[in-house]
Amino acid sequence: MEHHVGDAAVAGTTSDNRYEWAHSSEVPPDTHTAVPPAVSSGGADSGTWPSGSLGSYGPVLPDGRGVVPETEPGEPHRLTAELAEQAPPGREVPLQVQVTRGAGDAGAALREFHVPAEGARLVIAVHAPGLLALGDLQQEVTVMPGRDSDVVRFGLRTTAPGLHTVTVRAFRGGTFLSELRAQISVQADTPARDGPTRSAPLTTLAFDPGEVTLQVLKGSDGAHSFQLLSETTYAPESFRLLAGNAHGARELIYDELRRTAAAAGSGGGADQAHAHRRLRNLGVQLWASAVPDAVRRQFWEEADRITSLTVLGEHDAVPWELLYPRDRDQEGDGFLAEWLPVVRRVFGQERVRELPLHRAAFVVPPGSPPEAEREVAALRNRLGQAVADFGTLTQRSVVSDLIDQGAAGLLHFACHNTFTSSGSRVTMADGSFDPLDLAYAAQSGALRTTHPLIFFNACRSAGEIDWFATSLGWAPQFLRAGAGAFIGTLWPVRSDSALTFADTFYNQLVTRGRTLGQASLQARQAIRNQGGDPTWLAYVVYGSPAARAVLPQADVSTAD
């Protein structure tokens, strides 16, 4: 699992470093965590979208968990869209979107929520790179009880020849609900041809109070669009990275953090203080140079109401977990990821609110660090006898079969992961296992009915590479297949910190019944003061921040 990083370890290599099991102390109740202190306003010019506010946040429990106001079951809904699938350049091709009733025959329906008498107002946002927008690409639609919504029309015009993808997303407040995609082929001297109706399940119309989504999209011109979605819907802000892309800067950052992790604890107090100051300066510089001014201003306007932040879109643009919000006299409570639950979403990922952990399997191939078995033993003890044990897996074929057949519950990796410019690779007993081995599961949606939790506790297991028109890595592949949540790392991490993170995370999620967002936040906080070690910022979490583990016959306490 290449947790520990020595001076000789480099990205893309593995080592046989040993480590000792680190038992975490009991994490105190969340007396702060989710709700940041009030900060001063960023100014009167809010830059809000003309549609304005989308309702109220509703009550929040003392531990920061939002209370979803609509809890009565109701009829299912679907997000539907119609778009021509072929047209010549210069042709107007309107996109028509509607929220309809009925479960349909696609997707996995989850619990529905009552639509209040006054209706549920949703934001429909469209991303259409390569096409010319003839109007706003964001509109509101009201879903009333017992009937379909009105049809919302978005004006688009074809320009450059080629195959273009149009993505439609639905939000309520800052909570992402669902998305669907359609493709249009633009060719000269071809007649326009209508495409089939596209649909996706709206698994719930409820929203999580205080959840904010930062949607980051990359346009065909290389510029990025940043948009903060909360109760207030802000207009997108276009932002172009000076270097064209962030790959080089990102790799320099990860290399520095790898060296910092290797040296952590080896020097005296002055060295540790310098490491912490350097890390903070890195986070402040990222905040100032990689986030548009308008988005930073909007963040401060919302800061005292935010309980979780979801980043949707281009994850490789910025290492989001490293951001340290600081603007003149405005400062939060440290790094964004130690202040708030920060989670990510990939395109095509379902919104899963329950993680059924009725069984567990553990991937520990030959050559894994000896202490990996100790990690698995501790996890088995944490889960208890109520969770069926599917054993320790060492062969690629067995892991692949389990995933293709719809792995359920928990799949925990404790192993080495080699990451190079060619991507990730785990050496199993019967050969190499890499993200391409998940292609069938991703396309078939093999995990969409089981929604397992995937914890990949290995070196840079959240790394991704470009693969034609998409990104390739463990996280996007597992999530496209239907995983409920994924946890991995961005750079090589220290063994003692990594083990404490895992133990604290499972303690919070399983034993104490906290949400995915809160459990990951508590795990970060448990290891953030370990001799300048930046491991606590290396972990990335994909999923719904409000998701909770569901155990069979388990008495899970949520009390503080």
Side-chain angles (χ1 to χ4, degrees), residues 24 60 113 254 420 445 532:
S24 64
V60 177
F113 285 80
Y254 290 164
T420 67

Side-chain angles (χ1 to χ4, degrees), residues 3 41 110 114 142 186 201-203 295 304 309 357 366 370-371 448 526 540 552:
H3 283 320
S41 171
L110 299 181
H114 170 68
T142 300
V186 179
L202 282 171
T203 53
V295 175
D304 61 343
L309 177 70
L357 301 186
E371 292 80 2
R448 287 178 184 167
V540 294

Side-chain angles (χ1 to χ4, degrees), residues 163-438:
L163 186 63
H164 305 287
T165 299
V166 176
T167 306
V168 181
R169 298 186 182 89
F171 298 85
R172 188 172 186 199
T175 299
F176 171 84
L177 300 182
S178 187
E179 75 175 0
L180 57 84
R181 288 186 169 191
Q183 288 187 330
I184 179 171
S185 176
V186 179
Q187 304 177 46
D189 302 322
T190 60
R193 184 174 68 227
D194 290 339
T197 299
R198 307 282 179 170
S199 65
L202 282 171
T203 53
T204 172
L205 297 183
F207 68 105
D208 295 308
E211 181 180 359
V212 170
T213 293
L214 176 62
Q215 183 175 227
V216 184
L217 306 172
K218 188 174 183 179
S220 56
D221 60 352
H224 287 78
S225 170
F226 287 66
Q227 184 176 19
L228 199 67
L229 294 158
S230 66
E231 278 199 285
T232 302
T233 306
Y234 295 94
E237 299 291 336
S238 182
F239 184 71
R240 182 179 293 276
L241 299 171
L242 294 180
N245 66 72
H247 176 77
R250 188 178 67 249
E251 292 305 311
L252 288 174
I253 291 171
Y254 290 164
D255 187 58
E256 177 174 340
L257 293 172
R258 176 193 61 77
R259 295 194 305 271
T260 303
S266 60
D271 290 339
Q272 295 177 14
H274 171 74
H276 181 271
R277 185 176 296 109
R278 175 71 175 179
L279 189 62
R280 183 187 63 184
N281 285 331
L282 178 61
V284 172
Q285 187 62 42
L286 274 173
W287 173 258
S289 60
V291 181
D293 292 350
V295 175
R296 301 205 309 272
R297 183 178 67 248
Q298 294 159 10
F299 174 84
W300 292 119
E301 291 171 356
E302 300 284 342
D304 61 343
R305 296 187 295 274
I306 300 176
T307 58
S308 66
L309 177 70
T310 298
V311 181
L312 169 66
E314 299 291 333
H315 296 125
D316 279 353
V318 178
W320 307 104
E321 289 75 13
L322 295 177
L323 294 177
Y324 192 110
R326 183 72 167 93
D327 287 294
R328 294 184 179 272
D329 60 341
Q330 295 171 315
E331 183 174 4
D333 193 12
F335 288 88
L336 195 60
E338 71 174 319
W339 174 8
L340 298 165
V342 176
V343 301
R344 301 182 179 200
R345 297 191 66 88
V346 300
F347 298 137
Q349 176 186 344
E350 295 183 51
R351 184 184 179 216
V352 177
R353 301 181 67 92
E354 294 184 347
L355 302 169
L357 301 186
H358 59 282
R359 66 181 189 179
F362 310 92
V363 181
V364 187
S368 296
E371 292 80 2
E373 291 290 351
R374 194 180 301 177
E375 176 179 346
V376 170
L379 177 51
R380 283 182 166 128
N381 182 63
R382 175 76 64 191
L383 295 174
Q385 297 181 352
V387 178
D389 192 332
F390 269 53
T392 300
L393 312 181
T394 63
Q395 294 186 318
R396 172 187 59 188
S397 58
V398 176
V399 176
S400 295
D401 287 345
L402 181 66
I403 295 170
D404 289 344
Q405 295 167 10
L410 170 66
L411 187 59
H412 184 93
F413 289 77
C415 57
H416 291 302
N417 177 67
T418 301
F419 183 84
T420 67
S421 58
S422 300
S424 291
R425 185 180 75 255
V426 173
T427 301
M428 306 290 290
D430 55 346
S432 295
F433 181 54
D434 65 56
L436 272 177
D437 292 313
L438 299 176

